[in-house]
Amino acid sequence: MRWPYLEKDYHYLSHLFSASEGLTIEKFIIRQKVERVKELIGYGELPMAEVAQQLGYSSPAHLSRQFRQLTGLTPTEFQRLGPASPARRSLDSLI
């Protein structure tokens, strides 16, 4: 697969990204999405189905699985921690 606007092969770009960042593009994107989930559920205004849909997950269950894999908590458990919890990191801390 070629990305025409970059004129480079995906595998080449993926290798460069992994060498630079220490993780794959896919894992980076998942981490970013999970951090966005943290922000959205922190407000408590959207149902999990809406959060999943906004972030392109196939289902709330899929979102919950990825969230738990990265954080060790379910989205509900994370939400109960409150905003002052050390388990909550900002997007800036991921970069």
Side-chain angles (χ1 to χ4, degrees):
M1 170 185 194
R2 288 186 68 78
W3 291 0
Y5 49 93
L6 296 176
E7 297 184 9
K8 299 290 182 193
D9 180 70
Y10 170 80
H11 295 289
Y12 172 75
L13 293 172
S14 179
H15 175 73
L16 284 178
F17 187 91
S18 295
S20 172
E21 299 299 319
L23 70 161
T24 66
I25 293 171
E26 291 81 8
K27 287 183 180 181
F28 178 81
I29 291 169
I30 290 168
R31 285 184 180 188
Q32 294 298 311
K33 286 171 75 171
V34 166
E35 289 303 315
R36 182 68 178 137
V37 170
K38 289 179 183 180
E39 290 179 354
L40 292 173
I41 66 175
Y43 297 124
E45 297 173 0
L46 297 175
M48 194 55 86
E50 178 68 23
V51 172
Q53 182 181 16
Q54 280 190 17
L55 294 173
Y57 282 94
S58 59
S59 69
H62 182 214
L63 180 158
S64 292
R65 276 191 304 276
Q66 280 193 340
F67 191 95
R68 187 174 189 133
Q69 285 174 341
L70 284 175
T71 67
L73 302 168
T74 66
T76 302
E77 292 168 337
F78 180 83
Q79 196 172 28
R80 288 184 191 140
L81 290 175
S85 171
R88 298 185 117 169
R89 296 183 301 163
S90 71
L91 285 172
D92 296 336
S93 69
L94 289 178
I95 298 174

